[in-house]
Structure formats: C-alpha cells, structure tokens
Amino acid sequence: MDSRIVWLLLGMSLVTYLPRVLPLVLFKNFQLPDLLLKWLGYIPTAILAALLLPSLLIRNGQLNIASHNEYLIAALPAFLVAKTSKSMVWTVLAGMGAVMLLRTIG
Amino acid sequence: MSTGLFIVGLKDALPIALGYLPLGFAFGLLGAEAGLKTLEIVLMSLFVYAGSAQFIAVSMLSSGASNMAIIIATFFVNFRHFLMSTALLPHFRNFSPRVIPLLAYELTDETFVVSTARYSHEPPHQSYHLGLSLTSHLGWISASWLGASTGSALISTEKWGLDFALPAMFIALLFFTLRNKRSYLVACLAGGFSLFAALYIPGNWGVLLAAILGATGGVISEKWIAE
C-alpha cells in the first residue's frame, strides 16, 4: 500500500474519531446542567431536519422546488406512510417505490 | 450482553444498511476511479467510516490535493459528531466503560438518529447499540468493497430508487421525533437555515450551525410555547 495513503488514512481516522469520542470520555463524570440537557434533547430533531431539507430540495447543486424533482414528490407518500404505519422499513420502501415509479413513467 | 436486544439493534440497522448500499457502492466506484486500490478503499470505510468525508477525500485526491488539506476538510465535515456524542452521553450512563470507545468510533448520523429515536421511549442498552452500530458499519464496508471491486455498475441504483433510501429514512425518523409544537419549530428553524447555508454559505458548516440554531430556538421558545 502507498505510504501516502497510509498517512492519509491515519490522519482522517484520528480527526474523525476525536469529535466522536471526546465528549463521551471528557464529560463522563460531570452532571451536565439541566439547561444543556434540554438543549441536547432538541439536537436529534434539529440535525434530522438540517440533513433532510437540503437533500430533498437541492438537486445537482441547485434549489429545485419544481414538479420534476422526484425526491420532493416521493417525500409526500413517505411522510404519509411514516404517519400511518410508524415503521421505518415501510417508509423507506414507500419512498423508494415512489422514486422508482416516477423514474419509470417520467 | 443481551442477544435479544443485539438482534433488535441488528434489525433496526437493516434500513440503514439498505441506505448505505448505493452510497457505499458509489464511494467504492469513485475511489477506484481516483486510483485507490480495493484494499485502501475498504480500509477507509473500516477506519474512517464517515460517508461525506470519504467522498470529499476521494474527490480531493483526484484533484491532486495534499494529505493535510484532506485531513483538515475531514475534521470540519465531521465535527458535527461532537454534538451527537454529547447528546448520547446521558443515554450511555450505564454502559460499560470498555464498550463506550467502540460505540463512539461507530457513531454516524444514521445510528445516532435511530438510537435516540428509540431511547426516547425505550431504555438504552449497549447490546442494542452494538447490534445497530456493527450491522450498519458492516453494510457500509461491504457496499464500498462491492463498488471498488466491480468498478462498473452491477445494479442500477438509480432505477430502483435506492438513492432515496437515506432521505426516506430521515423522513421517518424526523416524523418520530416531532412530538409537540416546539419540536416543529426546531425542525423548521434547523431545516430552513440548513437549506439557506447549503445554497449560500461555502464550506460544510451548515448542518452544525443549523442544529445549534434549531436547538437554541427550541430552548428559548419554552418561555412562550407551553408544549
């Protein structure tokens, strides 16, 4: 293996691992303040929305809110199935099925 | 160690692994095109295990960037895990200190959201978390290996809508975390800012800043919105 790639892998692994592990090691014996815990309670919702919205609305680097954005259209049945079935597997299958259908007919 | 809960985690990871399939495959393909050997691609998926950073690394390698530039970019892209790791801390209270470094290593956006969604109504358990994490990681490694070793499309991921697996999973998870008016406000703030940042702010700070803004908005709104 190329030694350049070995160094690259080592460096990338280190700077990826540190933010993942440091809070769990450093703050382990602290009782985090209530306000911070409340704030952290909102983090999953916030991160999900922050990841999801651009992935639905930005296609090929540009804002796309038109009817030919199949992600945007497929999001509707996925939302409905999530609401009624409360199942991740069915939601994923419904979303993928909708995208597949839109690409077949479109 | 509870085998039952490990299996529950394994099952919960199946949609994640399904979503990783097209992404990992594409990463393997691009890595091979950038001149990486199959072993190097698999090792990157094993040791770095961070999708967006791996894509960035491959594209920077192709354009002749230095190791240092790629490592700095990786750090910035992955710093959002710092927040997730802190948010997992209360759930990991009763986990064995020997398992925590491994679980931290296995932290991704997807396993974070799936596990926190579960821990909002079920007690956290390290066996569940291990099953979830190891299955997802195995999915990612296998998919990159497939992409690297085929070098050309084995299945048409686009035709089967596989590229929509991850957004669809995020839709389900987001829906599960929306419990009251305040959580809708948090989602709108974070989603709106993240969209704005993706369009107008260069670099990869958008998701991190959006999460901070959304959570802060949620805490502040507790004064005005009862639920």
Side-chain angles (χ1 to χ4, degrees), chain A residues 1 3 6 13-14 20 22 26-27 33-35 42 47 49 54-55 58 60 68 80 82-83 87 96 99:
Chain A
M1 211 161 73
S3 71
V6 174
S13 307
L14 185 74
R20 278 172 172 168
L22 281 181
L26 292 182
F27 309 150
D34 280 349
L35 191 65
Y42 290 114
I47 285 186
S55 77
I58 299 180
N60 301 320
H68 55 78
L80 285 176
K83 199 179 159 88
S87 145
M96 280 170 44
V99 167

Side-chain angles (χ1 to χ4, degrees), chain A residues 6-23, chain B residues 44 47-50 52-54 56-57 60 66-83 85 104-105 107 205:
Chain A
V6 174
W7 285 114
L8 179 67
L9 288 179
L10 281 175
M12 284 180 72
S13 307
L14 185 74
V15 298
T16 304
Y17 188 51
L18 286 180
R20 278 172 172 168
V21 76
L22 281 181
Chain B
M44 195 186 279
F47 290 120
V48 182
Y49 188 29
S52 41
Q54 291 181 226
I56 290 167
M60 286 178 81
S66 71
N67 271 1
M68 194 43 87
I70 300 176
I71 291 167
I72 290 171
T74 303
F75 177 75
F76 285 123
V77 172
N78 288 335
F79 194 74
R80 66 183 184 285
H81 293 137
F82 189 86
L83 268 188
S85 176
Y105 173 74
L107 170 63
W205 287 94

Side-chain angles (χ1 to χ4, degrees), chain B residues 190-213:
Chain B
F193 182 82
S194 173
L195 189 62
F196 170 81
L199 289 168
Y200 302 111
I201 302 176
N204 287 288
W205 287 94
V207 171
L208 188 69
L209 291 176
I212 291 173
L213 181 78

Side-chain angles (χ1 to χ4, degrees), chain B residues 128-151:
Chain B
Y128 171 82
H129 216 97
L130 268 175
L132 180 80
S133 307
L134 296 178
T135 311
S136 305
H137 198 170
L138 194 65
W140 178 248
I141 296 169
S142 325
S144 353
W145 174 73
L146 266 180
S149 52
T150 19

Side-chain angles (χ1 to χ4, degrees), chain B residues 78-145:
Chain B
N78 288 335
F79 194 74
R80 66 183 184 285
H81 293 137
F82 189 86
L83 268 188
M84 298 184 207
S85 176
T86 313
L88 280 173
L89 192 60
H91 301 303
F92 282 12
R93 282 257 177 255
N94 299 319
F95 288 15
S96 152
R98 278 181 309 179
V99 176
I100 288 178
L102 172 65
L103 293 180
Y105 173 74
E106 297 281 320
L107 170 63
T108 65
D109 297 335
E110 294 77 24
T111 56
F112 170 75
V113 289
V114 171
S115 59
T116 47
R118 177 182 166 91
Y119 299 156
S120 68
H121 58 86
E122 293 281 342
H125 198 288
Q126 62 189 35
S127 299
Y128 171 82
H129 216 97
L130 268 175
L132 180 80
S133 307
L134 296 178
T135 311
S136 305
H137 198 170
L138 194 65
W140 178 248
I141 296 169
S142 325
S144 353
W145 174 73

Side-chain angles (χ1 to χ4, degrees), chain A residues 61-77:
Chain A
Q62 285 185 328
L63 186 67
N64 182 342
I65 47 172
S67 60
H68 55 78
N69 179 351
E70 72 272 31
Y71 277 20
L72 189 58
I73 299 172
L76 293 174

